[in-house]
Amino acid sequence: MRKRAALLLAACMLLCGCRGGAQDEPAAFTVNGEAVSLREWNFYVRMNQMQWEKEGLERYGDDMWSRVADEEQGTTMADRLKEEVMDTVCRIHLANQHAEEYNVSLDDGKKQEIAERAESFMGAYHKALLDFAGADEEFVRERLSERELSLLVAQAAVADYEPEISEEEAHREGICYVLISTTGTKDAEGNRTPFSEEEIEQRARLAEEVCAAARETGSLKEAAETAGLTPIEGSMGSSNEGDGHEPRMLDAARLLEVGQVSDPVWTEEGWFVVQHTSDYDEEGTAYWRERLTELAREEEYERISREWRETAEITENPEIMDQVDVKIVLKELL
């Protein structure tokens, strides 16, 4: 295995030109005439390959990259990885090409922050992986700078975009809820100890007791705190979409009049009890309007980015791109 890794590393060094300048590196593809070097292409493919393997290797096994991802097109997971990486790299370069248009640049503070992140990056990964990805600190700093600049362009491109958000869309009503978990307890290291059946039954009774106390006092917050539980004061909209709260709990809350307390609601996490506290939550409505504005601006930038991509002149050099072959899993390097 070590011999194979050594050969792979040597090949990578030859491909990526780790000692040469950008002008000496072959272009994997160009974006509006701007070259994306083989080294950059290799770097992004390898770092994304590592992330994909972290998430999928246990599920798919060592042959994951040869598995068919799209039967109609006959593409493998390796093909899909490269497609997504190329899309990401193109988005970064296209955004950077519009930086001057939006008067965007990296200030000294941001450059210092990027330098520190590059140093941290180099210390976070195994040297064999960094070598295989063709990464040294200067190169990583350049990539991080491009990425950071692209994010600034994305913000500037939609800074003045004000979407139309109706009062109905932004409107939020007040809720207070408590979760009586039945999944177990966690220690300081995050290890979970499941509850016994008897403990689960006790938790169910506790949910009923908290519910009864809240109805008697008119305050779920007070009843929960008296029982040693942590109540959460929040808000709800007219639907569950994008809300982030437990959907079954929200569904139960919408059936309540203001002031009413729900029966215990069973979920995989445990028992929820919720109270509908107000028909208008000012803070929640302001936050939700801001959140909807943020989402709308993200959608608007996606539209702008797609336009840039559709009108861009992108020239691929397959014989160069194919030199970055995704076959082995990266654990073979370590």
Side-chain angles (χ1 to χ4, degrees):
M1 182 180 295
R2 290 182 178 176
K3 182 177 180 181
R4 183 177 184 181
L7 291 172
L8 287 168
L9 292 177
C12 179
M13 297 292 281
L14 290 171
L15 288 175
C16 298
C18 293
R19 295 288 182 258
Q23 68 274 14
D24 300 323
E25 300 170 11
F29 55 94
T30 60
V31 182
N32 289 329
E34 180 185 5
V36 175
S37 69
L38 173 58
R39 184 181 183 186
E40 181 177 347
W41 170 239
N42 179 75
F43 172 78
Y44 277 110
V45 170
R46 297 309 178 196
M47 299 312 297
N48 280 272
Q49 178 185 352
M50 176 202 66
Q51 190 60 44
W52 282 38
E53 288 181 9
K54 276 186 176 181
E55 297 172 359
L57 189 58
E58 184 175 346
R59 176 182 177 186
Y60 297 114
D62 288 358
D63 64 342
M64 66 176 287
W65 296 115
S66 61
R67 295 176 67 93
V68 175
D70 188 323
E71 292 186 1
E72 289 186 9
Q73 298 186 14
T75 54
T76 64
M77 287 188 69
D79 296 326
R80 176 170 291 179
L81 170 69
K82 288 186 174 183
E83 288 171 3
E84 293 192 12
V85 169
M86 184 171 181
D87 181 66
T88 297
V89 175
C90 285
R91 285 169 63 93
I92 292 172
H93 282 267
L94 286 168
N96 287 356
Q97 289 170 9
H98 288 82
E100 187 174 348
E101 174 186 341
Y102 291 104
N103 195 29
V104 170
S105 62
L106 300 175
D107 59 25
D108 290 341
K110 186 65 70 174
K111 290 177 181 178
Q112 179 60 35
E113 177 188 325
I114 290 170
E116 293 171 0
R117 286 165 54 195
E119 182 180 3
S120 177
F121 181 98
M122 294 300 294
Y125 296 100
H126 195 287
K127 185 178 184 302
L129 175 62
L130 293 171
D131 287 343
F132 194 48
D136 57 36
E137 191 167 328
E138 180 181 357
F139 181 78
V140 170
R141 185 168 62 249
E142 290 171 355
R143 303 288 75 75
L144 289 176
S145 297
E146 290 172 347
R147 174 64 174 167
E148 192 65 32
L149 184 61
S150 74
L151 295 176
L152 294 177
V153 171
Q155 293 174 4
V158 295
D160 297 328
Y161 177 69
E162 293 296 338
E164 293 184 5
I165 299 172
S166 68
E167 289 298 323
E168 182 180 358
E169 289 177 290
H171 183 83
R172 304 284 289 184
E173 300 188 19
I175 59 173
C176 177
Y177 65 90
V178 64
L179 168 63
I180 297 91
S181 173
T182 56
T183 59
T185 58
K186 285 185 178 180
D187 61 22
E189 285 73 39
N191 300 311
R192 184 178 294 277
T193 302
F195 286 128
S196 66
E197 290 187 11
E198 182 179 353
E199 288 174 319
I200 291 175
E201 291 176 1
Q202 290 173 351
R203 305 289 285 177
R205 287 195 295 272
L206 177 59
E208 294 285 357
E209 291 167 3
V210 169
C211 176
R215 286 171 173 170
E216 183 177 346
T217 63
S219 172
L220 176 60
K221 183 176 185 293
E222 180 182 325
E225 289 175 342
T226 299
L229 301 169
T230 303
I232 305 297
E233 295 180 279
S235 66
M236 64 178 177
S238 58
S239 74
N240 295 342
E241 185 177 357
D243 198 291
H245 292 310
E246 164 56 46
R248 293 181 186 176
M249 180 271 291
L250 291 174
D251 291 341
R254 291 193 193 90
L255 298 176
L256 303 171
E257 298 293 334
V258 173
Q260 287 185 326
V261 177
S262 73
D263 292 332
V265 179
W266 170 249
T267 72
E268 292 182 356
E269 294 181 75
W271 295 101
F272 279 87
V273 180
V274 60
Q275 182 174 27
H276 187 179
T277 56
S278 73
D279 58 9
Y280 178 69
D281 184 283
E282 183 176 358
E283 184 177 342
T285 298
Y287 167 80
W288 197 246
R289 181 179 294 279
E290 183 178 337
R291 175 62 177 153
L292 292 176
T293 299
E294 179 184 338
L295 291 172
R297 285 176 176 166
E298 289 176 3
E299 290 181 4
E300 174 64 8
Y301 182 68
E302 284 301 311
R303 183 192 65 78
I304 293 171
S305 185
R306 282 196 303 270
E307 283 189 357
W308 290 343
R309 180 69 182 267
E310 289 168 0
T311 58
E313 183 179 342
I314 298 174
T315 303
E316 299 181 26
N317 297 320
E319 71 281 1
I320 302 297
M321 296 178 73
D322 289 347
Q323 291 181 42
V324 180
D325 200 357
V326 182
K327 286 187 176 179
I328 68 159
V329 293
L330 295 179
K331 68 179 182 181
E332 296 194 23
L333 297 178
L334 310 179

